[in-house]
Amino acid sequence: MTRLWDVGADNQPHVDGDVVTKAGQARPTLADVAKRAGVSGSTASIAFSGVGSISEATRSRVLRAADELRYFGPDPRARSLRQGRSGIVGVVLEDRVLHSFRDPMTIAVLDGISQELDAEHGGMLLLTSTGVGESTIQSAVFDAAVFLGCSPHLRRSIEVMRQRNIPMVAIEGQPFDGVLSVALDNREASARLAAHLHGLGHRAVATVTLPMDARRELLELDASVVAGATTAVSIDRLAGAREVYPALGGFVAANSSSDEGYAAGLRVLGAGGGSGRPTAIMAQSDLLAVGVIRAAESLGLRVPADLTVVGFDGARIEGLSDHDLTTMVQPATEKGRAAGRAVTELLAGEHPPDVAFTCDLHIGTTSGPPHR
Amino acid sequence: MTRLWDVGADNQPHVDGDVVTKAGQARPTLADVAKRAGVSGSTASIAFSGVGSISEATRSRVLRAADELRYFGPDPRARSLRQGRSGIVGVVLEDRVLHSFRDPMTIAVLDGISQELDAEHGGMLLLTSTGVGESTIQSAVFDAAVFLGCSPHLRRSIEVMRQRNIPMVAIEGQPFDGVLSVALDNREASARLAAHLHGLGHRAVATVTLPMDARRELLELDASVVAGATTAVSIDRLAGAREVYPALGGFVAANSSSDEGYAAGLRVLGAGGGSGRPTAIMAQSDLLAVGVIRAAESLGLRVPADLTVVGFDGARIEGLSDHDLTTMVQPATEKGRAAGRAVTELLAGEHPPDVAFTCDLHIGTTSGPPHR
DNA sequence: GGCCGCTATCGAATCGATTCGATCGGCCCA
DNA sequence: TGGGCCGATCGAATCGATTCGATAGCGGCC
């Protein structure tokens, strides 16, 4: 029967039925608590924050008053204005949430971040960098930002944050001034993987790459695509592979999923027909590789007898049935952890260095010498 | 020569070698912009927010001044204090981020939420409800909260939010006063699934349930576990199945994963040995079902010839090899969407009703009549 | 010609806390 | 006994915007 303020939008207190304890009894503030406890606002603040000295008697008097008024602690908004800190870390995803979450690497990285943040910080604010969202990035409350594969169109947001002294960490993004980088040596790893194939005897190799730019469609990998590429990861992995196979061609996937891998796999394998067909396919992610294997098998090719397929990531995807994918295993959770730690340090005023990780080559059962 | 604000933690100004335009040129505020444009703060505010009338000439003068000072718009913290709105929606997960993200249902729900929020709101703040995290829930800045499978130990946080007039929506949680509920009719769906098995002729049936309480360990399903259960979903799904099989027993999994399903499957199938072995197993999630199938196959049982296995969710998990899992398909993304819409409406001061969804029975290839 | 009403603008109050500097005792030690 | 110091407390300033009420100017209408 009594509801003192509306669930509604604005702050306007609004009495709406009935009995009321005291006049104007809107949501209590620290000042109300202080008054009731008979202390000043500053003292009441200390009772809650614990910063500064206060006698035990006073503290408990304040807390009791708070209890009586059903005051549950300082308003986070006011606190964050005054302190300049909100305890929130923004995580900027390139894609729509769904796509990002379907990628096991992204999830592992997010988990790593959250492991390191749990203790001190309030939570991860998920933001997307696509179109409209960008204004959001500039109007949301957070203390530090982590970019997951940020592309250059974030330039303006980055400038805004820099101006606001918001520390930034980029995981696998293009290096930006003032943005700490946590990355993999994708080029070296990819070259090592290509060398493995070369060592097995493969000479006719094709690739299925991750998206190269904001366009999200299946494209043939040609010079113009590479020239206009903005995605550092794809570029570096391609460059590494081309250290071994300079003319490496193939297709650019629309996203990292096994369905895309399947589609791209069909194109790669269909194109050549007989003799033009590659003996090995390097997919830039494990999800893509799984799709490529499905495509190969649907065309009656056996892996690895007729076709070698290697991935990248070390995602340990379930349901590859009998295959154990040959891939470069990257420390995804560790990348997230490193980013989380970097955020913590930056917020503490330290100046941690960039972080670079390397990959481990996992030789599974999907790679072997070329047929005949 | 002077830069007043360091990237560092606290607000302490800190000079560190640089060119400077004017003394005390810290991060500019709206007041600085107003002064430079020769207008009052209120007018400058209108120029940015667009709320209120302003002449085109004045507006552009303000914007030009802002440009010159490299002022990029109002500080989100101050704005959120004044307006009482931050544009952030808190999403409270029961588990650690990693576990939540490994569950395809959770991801689908999150995606649904974000679809509906994209337009108006700033982003999703991920919070976890475990232990320490709870204080975080009370000290983080957000306008509305969505609980994903919230358990009773959140009672206090819920009280705090209610007191702060933060609208709350619970997806698949216990009904709480003042918390809008978006849920599935788990009981009905589970009963329907059980009826399907009964119709096929199964009489010896066992179950592998989702966790029943905060303990996360593999347990035998007995009366005491059920009595102490706190997780609405598990309870309801069990109750539904027991409408058809009143004495239904089995095991309680530690989490929803195929590994757990495997472990639980071994226990269920190992226990009885020959004649006591069930002819069908109802798993409370598809992930668990996948594990149960693996367990069955590792024991030399064929599905569905020797054992029928059904799941719940309709997760379309890749890598079930040849099986098409019989399951109750729930509209997970829709649940998220409904929650997102509810949040929007609640924030607009409306009073939307609870939402209930139903499931579709998908009959795949993992269920059939009992052997012999 | 006077009044009405609208637009553009301003000044001051406000959101709810934290924090800086000052004050006031009490206690210790010389 | 007095100086110095430390702990507890208070008042006032501050964080950076938004918003309310008031005012000035100006055109239109009767």
mmCIF file of all heavy atoms in Angstrom, chain B residues 4-33:
data_model
loop_
_atom_site.group_PDB
_atom_site.id
_atom_site.type_symbol
_atom_site.label_atom_id
_atom_site.label_comp_id
_atom_site.label_asym_id
_atom_site.label_seq_id
_atom_site.Cartn_x
_atom_site.Cartn_y
_atom_site.Cartn_z
ATOM 1 N N LEU B 4 49.121 18.874 -16.376
ATOM 2 C CA LEU B 4 48.669 18.831 -15.002
ATOM 3 C C LEU B 4 48.162 17.490 -14.552
ATOM 4 O O LEU B 4 48.181 17.180 -13.392
ATOM 5 C CB LEU B 4 47.624 19.894 -14.762
ATOM 6 C CG LEU B 4 48.328 21.229 -14.681
ATOM 7 C CD1 LEU B 4 47.392 22.280 -14.217
ATOM 8 C CD2 LEU B 4 49.495 21.126 -13.719
ATOM 9 N N TRP B 5 47.703 16.701 -15.469
ATOM 10 C CA TRP B 5 47.151 15.439 -15.024
ATOM 11 C C TRP B 5 47.935 14.302 -15.605
ATOM 12 O O TRP B 5 48.101 14.193 -16.802
ATOM 13 C CB TRP B 5 45.697 15.312 -15.441
ATOM 14 C CG TRP B 5 44.916 16.407 -14.873
ATOM 15 C CD1 TRP B 5 44.711 17.624 -15.429
ATOM 16 C CD2 TRP B 5 44.281 16.435 -13.625
ATOM 17 N NE1 TRP B 5 43.971 18.397 -14.601
ATOM 18 C CE2 TRP B 5 43.696 17.698 -13.470
ATOM 19 C CE3 TRP B 5 44.137 15.501 -12.599
ATOM 20 C CZ2 TRP B 5 42.980 18.057 -12.358
ATOM 21 C CZ3 TRP B 5 43.427 15.864 -11.499
ATOM 22 C CH2 TRP B 5 42.855 17.130 -11.380
ATOM 23 N N ASP B 6 48.333 13.440 -14.751
ATOM 24 C CA ASP B 6 49.044 12.263 -15.188
ATOM 25 C C ASP B 6 48.031 11.195 -15.562
ATOM 26 O O ASP B 6 46.889 11.222 -15.148
ATOM 27 C CB ASP B 6 49.917 11.778 -14.044
ATOM 28 C CG ASP B 6 50.897 10.764 -14.529
ATOM 29 O OD1 ASP B 6 51.966 11.162 -14.978
ATOM 30 O OD2 ASP B 6 50.565 9.576 -14.483
ATOM 31 N N VAL B 7 48.492 10.234 -16.336
ATOM 32 C CA VAL B 7 47.640 9.103 -16.662
ATOM 33 C C VAL B 7 47.366 8.313 -15.385
ATOM 34 O O VAL B 7 46.529 7.448 -15.330
ATOM 35 C CB VAL B 7 48.343 8.187 -17.672
ATOM 36 C CG1 VAL B 7 47.437 7.086 -18.140
ATOM 37 C CG2 VAL B 7 48.827 9.003 -18.844
ATOM 38 N N GLY B 8 48.076 8.688 -14.371
ATOM 39 C CA GLY B 8 48.099 7.927 -13.131
ATOM 40 C C GLY B 8 46.769 7.818 -12.438
ATOM 41 O O GLY B 8 45.754 8.334 -12.890
ATOM 42 N N ALA B 9 46.845 7.149 -11.340
ATOM 43 C CA ALA B 9 45.664 6.704 -10.639
ATOM 44 C C ALA B 9 44.815 7.834 -10.126
ATOM 45 O O ALA B 9 43.744 8.141 -10.617
ATOM 46 C CB ALA B 9 46.097 5.882 -9.456
ATOM 47 N N ASP B 10 45.304 8.477 -9.171
ATOM 48 C CA ASP B 10 44.507 9.371 -8.380
ATOM 49 C C ASP B 10 44.505 10.767 -8.974
ATOM 50 O O ASP B 10 45.180 11.066 -9.929
ATOM 51 C CB ASP B 10 45.085 9.401 -7.003
ATOM 52 C CG ASP B 10 46.532 9.011 -7.065
ATOM 53 O OD1 ASP B 10 47.234 9.528 -7.951
ATOM 54 O OD2 ASP B 10 46.940 8.182 -6.282
ATOM 55 N N ASN B 11 43.752 11.557 -8.341
ATOM 56 C CA ASN B 11 43.555 12.888 -8.869
ATOM 57 C C ASN B 11 44.711 13.825 -8.637
ATOM 58 O O ASN B 11 44.640 14.986 -9.010
ATOM 59 C CB ASN B 11 42.306 13.479 -8.227
ATOM 60 C CG ASN B 11 41.104 13.156 -9.082
ATOM 61 O OD1 ASN B 11 41.272 12.858 -10.258
ATOM 62 N ND2 ASN B 11 39.938 13.218 -8.506
ATOM 63 N N GLN B 12 45.716 13.337 -7.974
ATOM 64 C CA GLN B 12 46.809 14.233 -7.679
ATOM 65 C C GLN B 12 47.457 14.781 -8.932
ATOM 66 O O GLN B 12 48.011 14.040 -9.712
ATOM 67 C CB GLN B 12 47.865 13.493 -6.861
ATOM 68 C CG GLN B 12 47.309 13.023 -5.557
ATOM 69 C CD GLN B 12 48.166 11.962 -4.946
ATOM 70 O OE1 GLN B 12 49.131 11.523 -5.557
ATOM 71 N NE2 GLN B 12 47.826 11.549 -3.757
ATOM 72 N N PRO B 13 47.404 16.049 -9.100
ATOM 73 C CA PRO B 13 48.055 16.651 -10.247
ATOM 74 C C PRO B 13 49.538 16.362 -10.147
ATOM 75 O O PRO B 13 50.061 16.137 -9.055
ATOM 76 C CB PRO B 13 47.799 18.144 -10.094
ATOM 77 C CG PRO B 13 46.903 18.307 -8.937
ATOM 78 C CD PRO B 13 46.808 17.018 -8.209
ATOM 79 N N HIS B 14 50.194 16.406 -11.253
ATOM 80 C CA HIS B 14 51.541 15.868 -11.274
ATOM 81 C C HIS B 14 52.152 16.386 -12.556
ATOM 82 O O HIS B 14 51.723 16.036 -13.645
ATOM 83 C CB HIS B 14 51.387 14.340 -11.226
ATOM 84 C CG HIS B 14 52.516 13.576 -11.816
ATOM 85 N ND1 HIS B 14 53.196 12.644 -11.105
ATOM 86 C CD2 HIS B 14 53.085 13.596 -13.032
ATOM 87 C CE1 HIS B 14 54.130 12.098 -11.871
ATOM 88 N NE2 HIS B 14 54.073 12.665 -13.049
ATOM 89 N N VAL B 15 53.120 17.187 -12.403
ATOM 90 C CA VAL B 15 53.700 17.859 -13.551
ATOM 91 C C VAL B 15 54.775 16.986 -14.167
ATOM 92 O O VAL B 15 55.557 16.374 -13.472
ATOM 93 C CB VAL B 15 54.337 19.188 -13.109
ATOM 94 C CG1 VAL B 15 54.885 19.912 -14.311
ATOM 95 C CG2 VAL B 15 53.301 20.022 -12.406
ATOM 96 N N ASP B 16 54.774 16.938 -15.478
ATOM 97 C CA ASP B 16 55.756 16.061 -16.085
ATOM 98 C C ASP B 16 56.168 16.448 -17.498
ATOM 99 O O ASP B 16 55.875 15.785 -18.434
ATOM 100 C CB ASP B 16 55.294 14.614 -15.925
ATOM 101 C CG ASP B 16 54.868 13.860 -17.165
ATOM 102 O OD1 ASP B 16 54.348 14.429 -18.125
ATOM 103 O OD2 ASP B 16 55.071 12.682 -17.168
ATOM 104 N N GLY B 17 56.806 17.518 -17.636
ATOM 105 C CA GLY B 17 57.489 17.861 -18.866
ATOM 106 C C GLY B 17 56.709 17.946 -20.160
ATOM 107 O O GLY B 17 56.571 16.951 -20.840
ATOM 108 N N ASP B 18 56.276 19.102 -20.559
ATOM 109 C CA ASP B 18 55.512 19.235 -21.787
ATOM 110 C C ASP B 18 55.190 20.690 -22.102
ATOM 111 O O ASP B 18 55.274 21.541 -21.256
ATOM 112 C CB ASP B 18 54.171 18.519 -21.642
ATOM 113 C CG ASP B 18 54.144 17.337 -22.570
ATOM 114 O OD1 ASP B 18 55.225 16.962 -23.032
ATOM 115 O OD2 ASP B 18 53.069 16.829 -22.824
ATOM 116 N N VAL B 19 54.775 20.871 -23.309
ATOM 117 C CA VAL B 19 54.312 22.208 -23.672
ATOM 118 C C VAL B 19 52.911 22.406 -23.122
ATOM 119 O O VAL B 19 52.145 21.472 -23.030
ATOM 120 C CB VAL B 19 54.242 22.341 -25.208
ATOM 121 C CG1 VAL B 19 54.027 23.780 -25.580
ATOM 122 C CG2 VAL B 19 55.496 21.786 -25.827
ATOM 123 N N VAL B 20 52.622 23.628 -22.813
ATOM 124 C CA VAL B 20 51.289 23.869 -22.260
ATOM 125 C C VAL B 20 50.722 25.167 -22.816
ATOM 126 O O VAL B 20 51.427 26.121 -23.092
ATOM 127 C CB VAL B 20 51.345 23.933 -20.730
ATOM 128 C CG1 VAL B 20 50.424 24.999 -20.212
ATOM 129 C CG2 VAL B 20 50.939 22.599 -20.160
ATOM 130 N N THR B 21 49.442 25.159 -23.011
ATOM 131 C CA THR B 21 48.803 26.336 -23.578
ATOM 132 C C THR B 21 48.626 27.460 -22.571
ATOM 133 O O THR B 21 48.968 28.603 -22.822
ATOM 134 C CB THR B 21 47.425 25.946 -24.141
ATOM 135 O OG1 THR B 21 47.139 24.619 -23.731
ATOM 136 C CG2 THR B 21 47.444 26.011 -25.640
ATOM 137 N N LYS B 22 48.051 27.119 -21.476
ATOM 138 C CA LYS B 22 47.711 28.115 -20.464
ATOM 139 C C LYS B 22 47.943 27.473 -19.090
ATOM 140 O O LYS B 22 47.888 26.265 -18.972
ATOM 141 C CB LYS B 22 46.212 28.455 -20.541
ATOM 142 C CG LYS B 22 45.812 29.691 -21.357
ATOM 143 C CD LYS B 22 46.383 31.004 -20.873
ATOM 144 C CE LYS B 22 45.599 32.167 -21.440
ATOM 145 N NZ LYS B 22 46.165 32.689 -22.689
ATOM 146 N N ALA B 23 48.151 28.289 -18.138
ATOM 147 C CA ALA B 23 48.382 27.740 -16.804
ATOM 148 C C ALA B 23 47.151 26.960 -16.337
ATOM 149 O O ALA B 23 46.023 27.291 -16.646
ATOM 150 C CB ALA B 23 48.669 28.864 -15.825
ATOM 151 N N GLY B 24 47.397 25.932 -15.560
ATOM 152 C CA GLY B 24 46.295 25.166 -14.994
ATOM 153 C C GLY B 24 45.413 24.505 -16.042
ATOM 154 O O GLY B 24 44.241 24.266 -15.823
ATOM 155 N N GLN B 25 45.986 24.209 -17.189
ATOM 156 C CA GLN B 25 45.194 23.668 -18.293
ATOM 157 C C GLN B 25 44.919 22.182 -18.102
ATOM 158 O O GLN B 25 45.307 21.362 -18.917
ATOM 159 C CB GLN B 25 45.930 23.899 -19.603
ATOM 160 C CG GLN B 25 45.025 23.927 -20.822
ATOM 161 C CD GLN B 25 44.059 25.091 -20.778
ATOM 162 O OE1 GLN B 25 43.988 25.818 -19.814
ATOM 163 N NE2 GLN B 25 43.297 25.252 -21.827
ATOM 164 N N ALA B 26 44.241 21.859 -17.016
ATOM 165 C CA ALA B 26 43.883 20.474 -16.804
ATOM 166 C C ALA B 26 42.779 20.119 -17.794
ATOM 167 O O ALA B 26 42.373 20.950 -18.595
ATOM 168 C CB ALA B 26 43.389 20.263 -15.386
ATOM 169 N N ARG B 27 42.318 18.933 -17.699
ATOM 170 C CA ARG B 27 41.228 18.503 -18.576
ATOM 171 C C ARG B 27 40.111 19.535 -18.535
ATOM 172 O O ARG B 27 39.631 19.912 -17.476
ATOM 173 C CB ARG B 27 40.726 17.164 -18.077
ATOM 174 C CG ARG B 27 39.523 16.650 -18.778
ATOM 175 C CD ARG B 27 39.173 15.298 -18.230
ATOM 176 N NE ARG B 27 39.665 15.129 -16.866
ATOM 177 C CZ ARG B 27 39.284 14.140 -16.062
ATOM 178 N NH1 ARG B 27 38.443 13.244 -16.477
ATOM 179 N NH2 ARG B 27 39.769 14.030 -14.864
ATOM 180 N N PRO B 28 39.699 20.027 -19.683
ATOM 181 C CA PRO B 28 38.700 21.093 -19.694
ATOM 182 C C PRO B 28 37.336 20.581 -19.258
ATOM 183 O O PRO B 28 37.009 19.425 -19.466
ATOM 184 C CB PRO B 28 38.662 21.506 -21.168
ATOM 185 C CG PRO B 28 39.119 20.311 -21.914
ATOM 186 C CD PRO B 28 40.104 19.625 -21.028
ATOM 187 N N THR B 29 36.573 21.454 -18.651
ATOM 188 C CA THR B 29 35.215 21.102 -18.256
ATOM 189 C C THR B 29 34.244 21.931 -19.080
ATOM 190 O O THR B 29 34.636 22.860 -19.780
ATOM 191 C CB THR B 29 34.976 21.401 -16.775
ATOM 192 O OG1 THR B 29 34.962 22.828 -16.614
ATOM 193 C CG2 THR B 29 36.063 20.801 -15.907
ATOM 194 N N LEU B 30 33.002 21.588 -18.932
ATOM 195 C CA LEU B 30 31.991 22.316 -19.674
ATOM 196 C C LEU B 30 32.046 23.799 -19.317
ATOM 197 O O LEU B 30 31.811 24.674 -20.163
ATOM 198 C CB LEU B 30 30.608 21.740 -19.362
ATOM 199 C CG LEU B 30 29.454 22.327 -20.157
ATOM 200 C CD1 LEU B 30 29.712 22.190 -21.648
ATOM 201 C CD2 LEU B 30 28.155 21.648 -19.783
ATOM 202 N N ALA B 31 32.381 24.081 -18.078
ATOM 203 C CA ALA B 31 32.466 25.475 -17.650
ATOM 204 C C ALA B 31 33.548 26.217 -18.436
ATOM 205 O O ALA B 31 33.357 27.369 -18.841
ATOM 206 C CB ALA B 31 32.764 25.534 -16.152
ATOM 207 N N ASP B 32 34.667 25.566 -18.662
ATOM 208 C CA ASP B 32 35.728 26.194 -19.456
ATOM 209 C C ASP B 32 35.233 26.499 -20.859
ATOM 210 O O ASP B 32 35.490 27.567 -21.413
ATOM 211 C CB ASP B 32 36.942 25.254 -19.553
ATOM 212 C CG ASP B 32 37.507 24.932 -18.183
ATOM 213 O OD1 ASP B 32 37.431 25.814 -17.299
ATOM 214 O OD2 ASP B 32 38.003 23.802 -17.993
ATOM 215 N N VAL B 33 34.555 25.543 -21.416
ATOM 216 C CA VAL B 33 34.035 25.721 -22.769
ATOM 217 C C VAL B 33 33.073 26.902 -22.793
ATOM 218 O O VAL B 33 33.137 27.764 -23.682
ATOM 219 C CB VAL B 33 33.323 24.440 -23.252
ATOM 220 C CG1 VAL B 33 32.632 24.684 -24.581
ATOM 221 C CG2 VAL B 33 34.311 23.297 -23.358
#
